[in-house]
Amino acid sequence: MDLELGPEDEEFRQETRTWLASHVPAEPLPSLETAKGFAAHREWERELYGGRWSAVTWPEEYGGRGASLLRWLLFEEEYYAARAPGRVSQNGISLLAPTLFAHGTDEQVARVLPPMARGQTIWAQAWSEPGAGSDLAALRSSAVRTDGGWLLRGHKTWSSRAAFADRAFGLFRSHPGADRPHHGLTYLMFDLAAPGVTVRPIGRLDGKPAFAELRLDDVFVPDADVIGEPGQGWQVAMSTAGNERGLTLRSPGRFTAAAGRLAALWRATADPADTALRDRVADALIGARAYQLSAYAGVARLTEGGTPGAGASLTKVFWSELDIALHETALDLLGPRGELADAAPEAPDHGSWADGWVFALAGPVYAGTNEIQRDIIAERLLGLPKGRR
Amino acid sequence: MDLELGPEDEEFRQETRTWLASHVPAEPLPSLETAKGFAAHREWERELYGGRWSAVTWPEEYGGRGASLLRWLLFEEEYYAARAPGRVSQNGISLLAPTLFAHGTDEQVARVLPPMARGQTIWAQAWSEPGAGSDLAALRSSAVRTDGGWLLRGHKTWSSRAAFADRAFGLFRSHPGADRPHHGLTYLMFDLAAPGVTVRPIGRLDGKPAFAELRLDDVFVPDADVIGEPGQGWQVAMSTAGNERGLTLRSPGRFTAAAGRLAALWRATADPADTALRDRVADALIGARAYQLSAYAGVARLTEGGTPGAGASLTKVFWSELDIALHETALDLLGPRGELADAAPEAPDHGSWADGWVFALAGPVYAGTNEIQRDIIAERLLGLPKGRR
Amino acid sequence: MRFLLDAEQAEFGRTLGRMLAAADTPAAVRAWGAGDSGPGRAAWRRLAGAGVFGLAVPEKHEGAGLLPIELVVSFVELGRHAVPGPLAETVAAAVLLDRLGDADGLADTWLPAIAAGDAMVSYADLSRGPYALDAATADVTLLVDGDTLRASGGNGPVQPSVDPVRRLTRCAAGAVLASGPAVRAAAAQAADTARLLTAAQALGVGRRLLDDTVAYVKQRTQFGVAIGSFQAVKHRLADVLLALELAEPLVYGAAVELAGASQAGVAGSADATGVGIAMAKVAAGEAAYTAARAALQLHGALGYTDELDLSLWIRKARALRGAWGTPAECRARILPGPASAGAQIFHE
Amino acid sequence: MRFLLDAEQAEFGRTLGRMLAAADTPAAVRAWGAGDSGPGRAAWRRLAGAGVFGLAVPEKHEGAGLLPIELVVSFVELGRHAVPGPLAETVAAAVLLDRLGDADGLADTWLPAIAAGDAMVSYADLSRGPYALDAATADVTLLVDGDTLRASGGNGPVQPSVDPVRRLTRCAAGAVLASGPAVRAAAAQAADTARLLTAAQALGVGRRLLDDTVAYVKQRTQFGVAIGSFQAVKHRLADVLLALELAEPLVYGAAVELAGASQAGVAGSADATGVGIAMAKVAAGEAAYTAARAALQLHGALGYTDELDLSLWIRKARALRGAWGTPAECRARILPGPASAGAQIFHE
């Protein structure tokens, strides 16, 4: 049991740090939830790709470095510590790509991944529907068989990034007569510019169009864009859901960086006598370090053949609540300037605390609400009996 | 809307204060959960009775003063501010007596209340059974009809005060064929020294026998000791349960006094720079004041014909959690001496903080667990649908 | 003692509530945030017509006298309906001007206009922070800096708050209107009043968030049942109700104390009144924020959208928590420090 | 990097766990609390036989060398089985004596005896509080006061802790055994070690409380179903698991750091190691107390009784939370103050 990096891992970390030091923009990019910011972030993805940093764990042939999970953790630590831009390709890289590696055809992998790595195709997710949030088995949007493919009809919502993205992936009901509600679904990729797609951006709490509503009116999807077997979408999606809740959605590096910045803010602005705030800053540091060490242990287990399983639910609850507490602490530290929205000219740190707080508030909702996650923890990790909830 | 005491209420408060100032023992009595302390507290009840303070709201003929609920609140504030002893007659006065006033015969009221007021008869409660805690409808101890009365059989537990008390009251299944589980119960009073009663004291967390297990083996109870109609015990008990959860179980005066003592402890011992502790002390003051004002409002509503209803559930959850937070804060303030049990020679303030912490820990469990209370709040006050829990 | 609203006070609150419910305040809020104060001004005038601003103005200046309880009743409704504008600030300015007296004609000029709803006043105490609320929209902006009262000498760019209807502005120092220790003393009373009314607004915000969330969880179904039947949902909302129910008596209790102190003109009780107000602000501010977090979580993604009017209250709850006294500042007011005697709140 | 226990370390923990499960430690705890240390001593000797105390003693003194990871593995099991006695104190004393060196023969006398399980050492750092744990039972009591190390000169009356198995005593100052700055430095290292092992014990206590409570709520029925099927019960236990799962890597991480610092003999890394240990102590102490509160609540009145063995762990969780560093002290170690540079834990 140790915490020492081997020489090659250390070299990888140094290479990451050096590259980022000379490439991360001096001024933060505009918010990626705006048209201008989206474009700037897409440009940044291209630059990352140029250094082969956009998807370090992928095989080299698709633009990656074949990096181990440990190195991915190190990359993320360095990335966020360097205050590099948010990842507009996140949905594709952390949700769709693992699904394609697991269930996609060789042709799909070869066709979809390289433009994703280059930031050329930005992906949105299309899971939720107005009547199906936590209860994904209640999906009603349909995929109807047609010549050489499927016609999508229905209504998706809360589609992250869809206001500006190029393509989307999601689940559709293809076999309405199936015996159970989560049977008979198909996992599909489709073009957001295709005929029949209407994208209506939806503003998040601070008004930025972080997601969109999709109306689908006989949108044609060729067979080549079905992932896995038609009707088996639920099983295909579950592997993605596992990833979503696990490490790859919000790496420890995000939180070690944020906690470090919070500590710096405290050192710079706090009244040393204010132990109430000190305790909250200390708790953010403790939480970030706990998640970091927990991820090191998790990576070691995965490397030796373990699976994340319901442990991903623990992680998701933990980081989402840490993120809110950390940002609330920052806003309280900032005093009167803590009330300013990120768009305010005088917002501290380019508005990153205000923006981070709004972003954090969604954490307990998306990727499976924390209520559902706690049910999963209790039932799968503690073995408590399933209730009606 | 005002907070001014009228001259007569003010006079009552002053009379209370004056009497207590000259009668409250200079040294705290030994813990009432010990044999010696129980006797001392019984003696104190007699002294209270001597001044007509043992049950101020009762009519004068039973030893009370016919005091209004507002005066009772004032009495309680003064009582605990004066650091007067805990009330060993609490079960009788706040649980049994209201039931008797509502459902008892004249004979019962005349026979039972005066010795209760004098501290001559100390009452224990006998609700719970090993299989029936939150779910009182699952009671199995029985009352079987016999000549001139009933024979009690079964097993009661968590009977507060029963280790040293004289008599007990509780619910027994008298009509086993009733259509619903909470029908067919009878509310009875019985003697803890009667033939067939076996009392086994049970130690609470700090070892003191705060409650007991009762084995009942054909214990005879005369008809005169049935309260209300046989078979109607549930309805009779529910009025008592309402009282138990409401004001009378733990008056605001307990918490205003405890919060005041906590503030004094903080002023005496705390590091002024320690805002973390200051905030917790301030929150105890805020909580106690909120409960006090809420009780003033509640008393005004009751006086004008309102009912406590499910509001009593709000109160119960609030004070039980306030009590724990308040005592945890005190223990943290005390530093290394905060670890000492109340029996330790060097325990601060005669061990009252340690004893109070142990006492407080039971608060969320007794008189209806806080889980059940939150269900009641949600269903009855917010109108949320009943679930399976 | 009768610690309950009189029938008249309760009816006043209900009347205001009905009036505001009919006034489409969400549309006024959105317009205000976008820089169009027209609909907000209209609501403001209706409130003045109902007598709200007169509650902050003495009779000799054409008001109803300073009536803290009725003001609190009003501000709970203003919060419940998310009325935009420098509401607590205008009342605080009235308190300040009244206390300063008429020497400079300030009170004669502004108090009747405030009572009539013709003067929307932005007011900032610069010891508390550099920003004035809605200064760009107000008819006048008053700035206190230590013992000097000035008019604004010009507004900087709008600095939007996390609650976008709160348009904060840094103001340049303008003409001196008054100075001396009386300004400092009057500003302290103005700040206490603003703090209490902000607490009342927060209480109304929290009530609205709870009501709307309860209604939502009764009708939203997942897994075949209303989500309001899940115990986790029930307990979370029970905790919100608990926080609001215990904050409410603190808010009204502080109003009663302030009313007593105002009538008696007693400076000696200012400390105790200030403590009561600080308690009310902590409890109401935290209760409203707790309600906002629960509302957001239980509405799911819907609660996170700007489109749903719920967001107006979620954002306001956060802003009001800090306005006119953060929880930390208020707790420091309750317990100023072991060395100081401070106010003994209960027998120690 | 491989941040996982080796197969050998994991097996060591399992072996200790099996041994202690068979040893009826609850009976030993109750005897110990009543003043009979016989069964506790027997458990102590079995632990020494399994090599536990040797993990704190260098090879030249007949130990296995200071092995913090293996010590943590052991102390998690000691907590899980509620083993009584001055466990962390004996290890801390070994660290202290080892660091002081052999000049006075102290290390030669006591270290081999500690490794063999023949010496139960009470140890108190009087800057932290006046009480020594189980001094009346220990074979020797060492007291550090600033830069002076003394033997106890006699024990005062036992001051029972909220955890009655912890028999605290005030000790009179006895013979001076060593003095000078080396004592202060060694005492700081001893305190860090004691703090880490107390965190490990707390983690074991929390695990046990969770396991026992999960088992209980699966079989206890109310309203016709197992109470473990209620969502409120599930979520409360999920939160306990979460707290424990995130405390665990902090505890092992600090052990790894301490092992590195010990091997390197690097004083320079002491600060970072101390911060890691403080983090572990906050997290494990609070997790165990959270587990205790949940265990008590979900067992209902049963959980509140002294009779049920559960009480042994509930009471211990409270005491360990404060022992060798309260949460507040530990947080102050993590962030000593803005003026001081302190240790930068992450890139700032």
Side-chain angles (χ1 to χ4, degrees):
Chain A
M1 172 169 241
D2 71 278
L3 286 164
E4 295 289 312
L5 287 186
E8 290 175 11
D9 290 332
E10 185 58 43
E11 195 179 310
F12 173 86
R13 178 200 279 280
Q14 288 300 338
E15 188 188 346
T16 309
R17 186 176 296 178
T18 304
W19 189 89
L20 288 166
S22 59
H23 288 78
V24 170
E27 285 292 297
L29 304 184
S31 167
L32 73 77
E33 314 292 7
T34 62
K36 189 176 154 202
F38 199 89
H41 281 78
R42 187 196 288 267
E43 203 45 54
W44 168 249
E45 290 291 327
R46 183 183 307 271
E47 195 160 344
L48 277 175
Y49 175 78
R52 277 195 308 126
W53 298 110
S54 67
V56 294
T57 58
W58 292 6
E60 298 198 10
E61 58 189 301
Y62 304 118
R65 290 168 172 253
S68 66
L69 265 176
L70 175 61
R71 286 195 191 168
W72 177 77
L73 286 178
L74 300 175
F75 168 77
E76 290 277 305
E77 287 179 17
E78 294 298 325
Y79 187 86
Y80 289 102
R83 307 192 65 165
R87 299 296 306 276
V88 71
S89 285
Q90 161 104 16
N91 281 328
I93 290 170
S94 79
L95 296 177
L96 177 58
T99 308
L100 283 173
F101 281 125
H103 302 279
T105 64
D106 292 349
E107 184 276 329
Q108 287 173 329
V109 169
R111 170 164 56 90
V112 173
L113 295 188
M116 185 191 292
R118 288 193 296 271
Q120 189 179 342
T121 310
I122 309 284
W123 290 83
Q125 53 176 327
W127 298 123
S128 300
E129 297 180 7
S134 292
D135 183 11
L136 269 188
L139 292 173
R140 301 202 314 191
S141 291
S142 62
V144 177
R145 191 71 192 137
T146 187
D147 272 3
W150 302 79
L151 290 175
L152 307 185
R153 287 179 197 157
H155 186 182
K156 292 283 183 182
T157 193
W158 321 128
S159 181
S160 300
R161 295 296 109 75
F164 309 111
D166 306 298
R167 305 200 74 200
F169 53 94
L171 283 181
F172 293 83
R173 192 161 297 285
S174 53
H175 299 68
D179 51 347
R180 282 197 283 168
H182 54 276
H183 289 176
L185 297 163
T186 294
Y187 196 129
L188 295 156
M189 300 179 280
F190 59 99
D191 208 308
L192 287 168
V197 178
T198 311
V199 178
R200 190 179 72 80
I202 304 178
R204 68 175 190 183
L205 213 50
D206 62 1
K208 300 196 190 88
F211 33 45
E213 178 179 84
L214 307 177
R215 298 276 179 175
L216 304 164
D217 188 14
D218 284 344
V219 177
F220 178 73
V221 175
D223 285 331
D225 282 348
V226 171
I227 305 178
E229 289 302 307
Q232 298 293 310
W234 182 265
Q235 293 80 341
V236 174
M238 282 305 99
S239 67
T240 311
N243 283 300
E244 189 181 19
R245 286 186 214 112
L247 280 180
T248 54
L249 180 57
R250 301 284 176 251
S251 71
R254 287 175 181 254
F255 302 97
T256 54
R261 294 207 299 125
L262 181 66
L265 182 68
W266 182 75
R267 290 189 216 276
T269 65
D271 174 356
D274 197 337
T275 55
L277 274 168
R278 181 204 67 195
D279 283 1
R280 293 167 64 193
V281 176
D283 285 347
L285 291 166
I286 293 170
R289 176 67 169 161
Y291 184 25
Q292 181 186 43
L293 289 171
S294 158
Y296 290 157
V299 160
R301 269 191 298 269
L302 286 172
T303 305
E304 295 178 15
T307 53
S313 293
L314 278 173
T315 304
K316 197 256 141 163
V317 172
F318 187 76
W319 62 247
S320 59
E321 297 187 352
L322 169 62
D323 205 21
I324 292 178
L326 191 156
H327 283 90
E328 286 179 345
T329 303
L331 297 187
D332 283 351
L333 256 169
L334 289 167
R337 289 200 305 159
E339 190 189 331
L340 301 183
D342 66 327
E346 295 187 8
D349 283 344
H350 302 281
S352 61
W353 295 113
D355 185 67
W357 172 71
V358 171
F359 185 79
L361 286 176
V365 174
Y366 58 67
T369 67
N370 284 11
E371 287 81 3
I372 299 283
Q373 304 299 349
R374 285 189 164 90
D375 285 347
I376 293 172
I377 293 167
E379 290 166 14
R380 297 200 202 151
L381 294 175
L382 297 176
L384 296 183
K386 269 185 108 74
R388 211 212 62 197
R389 285 201 183 89
Chain B
M1 172 168 239
D2 72 278
L3 285 164
E4 295 289 312
L5 287 186
E8 290 175 11
D9 290 332
E10 185 58 42
E11 195 180 309
F12 173 86
R13 179 200 277 281
Q14 288 300 338
E15 188 189 346
T16 309
R17 186 176 296 178
T18 305
W19 189 88
L20 287 165
S22 60
H23 287 78
V24 169
E27 284 291 297
L29 305 183
S31 167
L32 73 77
E33 314 292 6
T34 63
K36 190 177 152 200
F38 198 90
H41 281 77
R42 189 196 287 266
E43 203 46 54
W44 168 250
E45 290 290 326
R46 184 183 308 270
E47 196 161 342
L48 277 175
Y49 175 77
R52 279 194 308 126
W53 298 110
S54 67
V56 293
T57 58
W58 292 6
E60 298 198 11
E61 57 190 300
Y62 305 118
R65 291 170 172 251
S68 66
L69 264 174
L70 175 60
R71 287 196 191 168
W72 178 77
L73 287 178
L74 300 176
F75 169 77
E76 290 277 305
E77 286 179 17
E78 294 298 324
Y79 187 87
Y80 289 102
R83 308 192 63 166
R87 299 296 307 276
V88 71
S89 285
Q90 161 104 19
N91 281 328
I93 290 170
S94 79
L95 296 176
L96 177 58
T99 308
L100 283 173
F101 282 124
H103 302 279
T105 62
D106 292 349
E107 184 277 329
Q108 286 173 331
V109 169
R111 171 165 54 91
V112 171
L113 295 189
M116 185 193 291
R118 289 193 296 271
Q120 190 178 340
T121 309
I122 309 283
W123 289 85
Q125 53 176 324
W127 298 125
S128 300
E129 298 180 7
S134 293
D135 183 11
L136 269 189
L139 292 174
R140 300 202 314 188
S141 292
S142 63
V144 177
R145 191 71 193 139
T146 188
D147 272 1
W150 302 80
L151 289 175
L152 306 186
R153 287 178 199 157
H155 185 182
K156 292 282 183 182
T157 193
W158 322 126
S159 181
S160 300
R161 296 295 111 75
F164 309 111
D166 306 298
R167 307 200 73 201
F169 54 93
L171 284 180
F172 292 83
R173 191 160 297 284
S174 52
H175 299 68
D179 52 346
R180 282 198 280 166
H182 55 276
H183 289 177
L185 296 163
T186 294
Y187 196 128
L188 294 156
M189 301 180 279
F190 59 99
D191 208 307
L192 287 167
V197 178
T198 310
V199 178
R200 190 179 70 80
I202 304 177
R204 68 175 192 184
L205 214 51
D206 64 0
K208 299 196 190 90
F211 32 46
E213 179 179 82
L214 308 177
R215 298 279 178 172
L216 304 163
D217 188 14
D218 285 344
V219 177
F220 178 74
V221 175
D223 285 332
D225 281 349
V226 171
I227 305 178
E229 289 302 308
Q232 298 293 311
W234 181 265
Q235 291 80 342
V236 173
M238 281 306 98
S239 66
T240 311
N243 282 300
E244 188 182 21
R245 283 186 217 113
L247 283 179
T248 55
L249 181 57
R250 302 282 176 254
S251 70
R254 288 175 179 253
F255 302 98
T256 53
R261 294 207 300 124
L262 182 66
L265 182 69
W266 181 75
R267 291 189 215 276
T269 66
D271 174 356
D274 197 337
T275 54
L277 275 168
R278 181 204 68 195
D279 283 1
R280 292 167 65 194
V281 176
D283 284 346
L285 290 165
I286 294 171
R289 177 67 170 161
Y291 184 23
Q292 181 186 43
L293 290 171
S294 156
Y296 290 157
V299 160
R301 270 191 297 269
L302 286 172
T303 305
E304 297 178 14
T307 53
S313 293
L314 279 172
T315 305
K316 155 81 212 291
V317 171
F318 186 75
W319 61 247
S320 59
E321 296 185 352
L322 169 63
D323 206 21
I324 292 178
L326 191 157
H327 283 91
E328 285 178 345
T329 303
L331 297 187
D332 284 351
L333 258 169
L334 288 167
R337 289 201 306 159
E339 191 189 331
L340 301 184
D342 66 327
E346 296 187 7
D349 283 343
H350 302 279
S352 62
W353 295 112
D355 184 65
W357 172 70
V358 171
F359 185 79
L361 286 177
V365 173
Y366 59 68
T369 67
N370 284 11
E371 287 81 4
I372 299 282
Q373 303 299 350
R374 285 189 164 89
D375 285 347
I376 292 172
I377 293 166
E379 291 166 13
R380 299 200 202 152
L381 294 176
L382 297 177
L384 296 182
K386 269 185 107 75
R388 212 212 62 199
R389 288 204 179 87
Chain C
M1 187 201 294
R2 184 185 178 280
F3 185 57
L4 271 187
L5 290 178
D6 303 340
E8 218 176 315
Q9 291 164 334
E11 178 54 29
F12 178 56
R14 282 191 295 269
T15 304
L16 278 183
R18 278 192 299 267
M19 190 186 95
L20 291 167
D24 193 11
T25 50
V29 171
R30 292 185 186 278
W32 190 282
D36 168 13
S37 60
R41 282 276 186 179
W44 190 282
R45 274 188 297 271
R46 276 196 294 275
L47 288 168
V52 168
F53 297 107
L55 299 171
V57 173
E59 292 180 11
K60 66 170 172 175
H61 286 113
E62 300 164 40
L66 182 63
L67 296 174
I69 300 171
E70 285 75 6
L71 277 168
V72 160
V73 168
S74 310
F75 272 68
V76 170
E77 296 306 318
L78 298 179
R80 198 191 302 271
H81 296 280
V83 175
L87 295 156
E89 290 70 19
T90 294
V91 172
V95 167
L96 177 93
L97 295 175
D98 178 37
R99 296 297 147 120
L100 281 181
D102 307 320
D104 305 308
L106 282 171
D108 286 341
T109 309
W110 289 106
L111 290 180
I114 288 173
D118 295 330
M120 183 178 277
V121 187
S122 176
Y123 169 63
D125 186 335
L126 299 178
S127 69
R128 313 187 53 79
Y131 305 116
L133 178 63
D134 294 319
T137 311
D139 301 299
V140 61
T141 299
L142 301 181
L143 307 169
V144 163
D145 194 359
D147 55 9
T148 306
L149 173 68
R150 298 170 188 268
S152 164
N155 301 323
V158 170
Q159 308 279 343
S161 154
V162 293
D163 178 12
V165 76
R166 288 171 58 87
R167 296 161 63 83
L168 303 172
T169 312
R170 211 181 263 274
C171 300
V176 172
L177 302 177
S179 66
V183 169
R184 196 185 290 272
Q189 292 183 312
D192 271 349
T193 304
R195 180 176 288 178
L196 174 61
L197 297 183
T198 305
Q201 247 180 309
L203 184 62
V205 166
R207 291 280 183 196
R208 175 59 170 263
L209 286 163
L210 177 60
D211 289 350
D212 287 359
T213 306
V214 165
Y216 180 75
V217 303
K218 283 180 185 171
Q219 57 87 6
R220 168 75 172 175
T221 60
Q222 290 282 274
F223 307 104
V225 295
I227 63 173
S229 66
F230 297 141
Q231 202 179 27
V233 172
K234 286 182 182 177
H235 285 201
R236 186 149 189 183
L237 290 174
D239 284 338
V240 172
L241 180 65
L242 188 57
L244 292 166
E245 287 286 326
L246 274 296
E248 184 172 286
L250 288 169
V251 172
Y252 282 109
V256 168
E257 288 172 351
L258 184 59
S262 303
Q263 281 187 344
V266 187
S269 65
D271 194 31
T273 304
V275 166
I277 290 172
M279 287 182 159
K281 181 67 181 18
V282 174
E286 297 291 25
Y289 189 56
T290 299
R293 288 284 314 279
L296 200 160
Q297 183 67 20
L298 300 181
H299 278 79
L302 198 62
Y304 190 64
T305 57
D306 168 66
E307 292 181 3
L308 194 72
D309 284 338
L310 187 79
S311 62
L312 309 184
W313 284 272
I314 290 176
R315 298 181 302 213
K316 188 175 292 299
R318 175 77 206 174
L320 294 184
R321 178 178 170 276
W324 292 104
T326 63
E329 276 176 83
C330 292
R331 291 189 179 104
R333 177 76 183 264
I334 296 165
L335 284 173
S340 141
Q344 272 203 16
I345 294 144
F346 304 118
H347 176 76
E348 295 184 6
Chain D
M1 186 200 296
R2 184 185 177 280
F3 184 56
L4 272 187
L5 289 178
D6 303 341
E8 218 175 317
Q9 291 165 333
E11 178 54 28
F12 178 55
R14 282 191 296 270
T15 304
L16 277 184
R18 278 191 299 268
M19 191 186 94
L20 290 167
D24 193 11
T25 49
V29 171
R30 292 186 185 277
W32 189 282
D36 169 13
S37 60
R41 281 274 187 178
W44 190 282
R45 275 187 297 269
R46 276 197 293 274
L47 289 168
V52 168
F53 297 107
L55 300 170
V57 174
E59 292 180 13
K60 68 172 172 174
H61 286 112
E62 299 166 39
L66 182 63
L67 296 174
I69 301 170
E70 286 76 4
L71 277 169
V72 159
V73 169
S74 309
F75 272 67
V76 170
E77 295 306 317
L78 298 178
R80 198 191 302 272
H81 296 281
V83 175
L87 294 156
E89 290 71 18
T90 295
V91 172
V95 168
L96 177 94
L97 295 175
D98 178 38
R99 295 296 146 118
L100 282 180
D102 307 319
D104 305 307
L106 282 170
D108 286 342
T109 308
W110 288 107
L111 290 181
I114 288 172
D118 295 331
M120 182 178 279
V121 186
S122 177
Y123 169 62
D125 185 333
L126 299 178
S127 69
R128 311 187 56 78
Y131 306 115
L133 178 62
D134 295 319
T137 311
D139 301 300
V140 62
T141 298
L142 301 180
L143 307 170
V144 162
D145 193 0
D147 57 8
T148 306
L149 174 68
R150 297 170 189 269
S152 165
N155 301 324
V158 170
Q159 309 279 343
S161 153
V162 293
D163 178 11
V165 76
R166 288 171 59 87
R167 295 160 63 83
L168 304 172
T169 313
R170 211 180 262 275
C171 300
V176 173
L177 302 177
S179 66
V183 170
R184 195 184 292 272
Q189 292 184 312
D192 271 349
T193 304
R195 179 174 288 179
L196 174 61
L197 298 184
T198 305
Q201 248 180 309
L203 185 61
V205 166
R207 291 279 183 199
R208 176 60 170 266
L209 285 163
L210 177 60
D211 289 350
D212 286 0
T213 306
V214 165
Y216 181 75
V217 302
K218 283 181 186 169
Q219 57 88 7
R220 167 75 172 176
T221 59
Q222 289 283 273
F223 307 103
V225 295
I227 63 173
S229 66
F230 297 140
Q231 202 180 26
V233 172
K234 284 183 184 177
H235 286 199
R236 186 145 189 185
L237 290 174
D239 284 338
V240 172
L241 180 65
L242 188 57
L244 292 166
E245 287 287 327
L246 274 297
E248 184 170 286
L250 288 169
V251 171
Y252 281 109
V256 167
E257 288 172 350
L258 184 59
S262 303
Q263 280 187 346
V266 186
S269 66
D271 194 31
T273 305
V275 166
I277 290 172
M279 287 183 160
K281 181 68 182 15
V282 173
E286 297 290 26
Y289 189 56
T290 299
R293 288 286 312 280
L296 201 162
Q297 183 67 19
L298 300 181
H299 278 79
L302 198 63
Y304 190 63
T305 58
D306 167 66
E307 291 181 3
L308 195 73
D309 283 339
L310 186 79
S311 62
L312 309 184
W313 283 272
I314 290 176
R315 297 181 302 213
K316 189 175 291 300
R318 176 76 208 176
L320 294 183
R321 178 176 169 277
W324 292 104
T326 62
E329 277 175 81
C330 292
R331 291 190 180 104
R333 177 75 182 263
I334 295 165
L335 284 174
S340 141
Q344 273 204 15
I345 293 145
F346 304 118
H347 175 76
E348 295 184 5

